[in-house]
Amino acid sequence: MKTTRRKFVSTLAMSPFLLGLNKFSFASQLSFNDDHLSAFSKKLKPIGRILEMEDWYVWGTSPIKAPDGKTHVFFSRWPASKRMGGWINSCEIAHAVADNPEGPFKFVETVLKPRAGMWDATTCHNPTIKFIDGKYCLFHMGNSNGKTNTKRVGLAIADSLEGPWKRFDKPLLEAGKGEVWDNHCTSNPSVIKHPNGQYWLYYKSWNTLDYENAKNPNIRGNRKYGLAIADKLEGPYIKYDGNPIIDYSELGDNTQLEDAYVWFDEGKFKMIARDMGIYNHEVGLYLESDDGINWSKPQIGYLPVRDYIKEPPGPSHLRKYGRFERPQLLLENDKPTYLFVASQGGKFMNTSAFVFKIG
């Protein structure tokens, strides 16, 4: 498996397109060829912002359709007074509902708050909601010290989208031990029930030594993706021997991706993620795989904000202004019908969710 990945990275590195690319400024100056734009990206129709809250930063909105046809979303939020950095030490996961995926969404309640003395004592963040084995499964990240080195993947389970939510005393997946690629954290989970009946958990991590010695203070450590597999939903999850399954570090310049969302459709594993240097830091990535382990060369999954809507210049406190992050899909009959992303800006110049219709 490692050999296959190295061959792919080598091919990608030699691409004339990538060799001539300025990774940090390109969407407004450089036009794309069809080879770079995925079929998925060409189906996106912008609907607009949702969940704009003056007193809260909203992030990571994950949708699901209820049996009554209403659309429920689970999202990260933290006090606006904390500005963007509040996600790491002051975040909670909240619930909202609408009659259809385009909104308007009405806030219901906070469902997961940090628990003092537990593995998620200081933040609960980046939810992804799934319906698996007759249960609603809310995968998320938490930490215990307000820092990245205690970020861990967790799970809460309920029989209904209204709860109550059963939480666990331990995280679903621990960081690696020793000088390994994932010894810093486990984060940003994406989980599918494999056609073979197993539960496959995709997770982001990086190495502590790389993080502490990073030359670029804005991008510390090279994000890679690993896979952990369980025979039961609650685990134990065993890490795949060939990890990391996605690693672009050989391309240099801290090339990486994050916020991966994985689903299975038409006999293939598919992934939408945020780019961190393959093309630039403003677009999304789209990948496919026959086996869920070896992934295709990334295509562009979505474009920068300015390609869909016109917004005023961003304020100085929003350094990620102009891009979409944390992609999550509304799946209906295993088909993606709407894309939900997070974006800085909006009428309160903080952060909110943004919705695209697919098709």
Side-chain angles (χ1 to χ4, degrees):
M1 298 300 182
K2 291 283 188 179
T3 302
T4 302
R5 186 187 64 77
R6 289 194 184 100
K7 286 181 179 178
F8 160 67
V9 170
S10 176
T11 301
L12 191 62
M14 292 305 293
S15 166
F17 174 70
L18 289 179
L19 287 173
L21 182 64
N22 179 341
K23 294 176 182 175
F24 296 95
S25 60
F26 114 145
S28 61
Q29 294 87 15
L30 185 65
S31 61
F32 302 113
N33 295 326
D34 279 347
D35 287 346
H36 308 138
L37 288 170
S38 66
F40 177 91
S41 71
K42 297 175 183 179
K43 296 178 182 179
L44 296 179
K45 300 176 182 177
I47 301 302
R49 290 184 179 272
I50 60 167
L51 296 174
E52 294 184 272
M53 299 181 174
E54 185 173 11
D55 297 327
W56 297 89
Y57 275 49
V58 169
W59 206 251
T61 303
S62 184
I64 193 167
K65 187 68 70 74
D68 64 2
K70 293 186 177 182
T71 301
H72 294 245
V73 293
F74 293 83
F75 60 98
S76 301
R77 71 172 194 169
W78 60 91
S81 59
K82 296 282 186 176
R83 295 289 181 95
M84 195 64 202
W87 71 269
I88 190 67
N89 56 28
S90 304
C91 190
E92 62 186 32
I93 295 174
H95 175 202
V97 64
D99 290 334
N100 65 74
E102 299 178 13
F105 283 85
K106 182 180 179 181
F107 175 80
V108 177
E109 63 177 343
T110 296
V111 295
L112 299 183
K113 288 186 176 182
R115 299 175 293 175
M118 304 293 285
W119 65 272
D120 51 3
T122 45
T123 213
C124 297
H125 188 56
N126 277 358
T128 185
I129 184 73
K130 295 277 186 157
F131 186 68
I132 303 176
D133 296 344
K135 302 283 186 180
Y136 291 100
C137 305
L138 189 55
F139 299 93
H140 61 285
M141 177 275 285
N143 68 9
S144 60
N145 65 353
K147 299 179 181 180
T148 58
N149 66 339
T150 59
K151 292 201 304 180
R152 299 292 185 268
V153 167
L155 170 64
I157 298 177
D159 293 326
S160 165
L161 288 167
E162 284 74 30
W165 294 91
K166 178 184 177 182
R167 301 174 71 173
F168 297 88
D169 293 341
K170 295 182 179 180
L172 209 58
L173 191 68
E174 286 285 357
K177 297 184 182 298
E179 192 50 41
V180 293
W181 75 275
D182 64 347
N183 67 2
H184 192 77
C185 62
T186 63
S187 187
N188 294 22
S190 184
V191 178
I192 63 170
K193 187 171 183 181
H194 194 282
N196 67 12
Q198 293 178 318
Y199 304 87
W200 284 32
L201 187 162
Y202 295 87
Y203 69 100
K204 180 185 80 174
S205 190
W206 61 90
N207 176 271
T208 296
L209 187 64
D210 292 342
Y211 180 81
E212 293 177 346
N213 294 282
K215 295 180 181 179
N216 183 346
N218 296 318
I219 309 173
R220 299 174 62 189
N222 192 283
R223 281 91 174 140
K224 304 177 177 74
Y225 261 82
L227 170 66
I229 300 173
D231 292 324
K232 297 180 179 180
L233 177 63
E234 296 89 346
Y237 283 83
I238 307 302
K239 294 178 182 178
Y240 172 63
D241 287 340
N243 282 341
I245 60 169
I246 296 182
D247 176 4
Y248 298 137
S249 59
E250 292 175 31
L251 292 175
D253 201 20
N254 224 2
T255 306
Q256 52 194 299
L257 62 72
E258 69 169 0
D259 290 342
Y261 180 97
V262 179
W263 76 104
F264 187 77
D265 180 24
E266 298 176 335
K268 286 185 176 291
F269 297 83
K270 299 179 180 181
M271 177 187 294
I272 186 82
R274 184 177 89 83
D275 190 0
M276 297 182 73
I278 299 296
Y279 295 96
N280 67 9
H281 282 243
E282 294 185 311
V283 301
L285 298 176
Y286 176 86
L287 300 83
E288 291 188 350
S289 172
D290 290 327
D291 59 8
I293 295 171
N294 296 283
W295 292 86
S296 65
K297 175 180 176 180
Q299 292 182 294
I300 291 171
Y302 54 81
L303 297 169
V305 172
R306 61 179 170 269
D307 284 69
Y308 301 105
I309 57 172
K310 185 176 182 179
E311 293 196 309
S316 60
H317 69 275
L318 296 180
R319 294 189 298 167
K320 298 180 179 181
Y321 191 79
R323 69 191 193 210
F324 295 120
E325 301 192 28
R326 194 64 193 154
Q328 297 280 295
L329 294 176
L330 177 62
L331 299 176
E332 299 182 71
N333 297 319
D334 298 323
K335 303 291 184 184
T337 56
Y338 284 84
L339 170 66
F340 286 66
V341 288
S343 180
Q344 294 185 339
K347 62 183 178 181
F348 301 119
M349 278 298 165
N350 49 23
T351 65
S352 74
F354 191 97
V355 183
F356 290 90
K357 188 173 183 178
I358 302 172

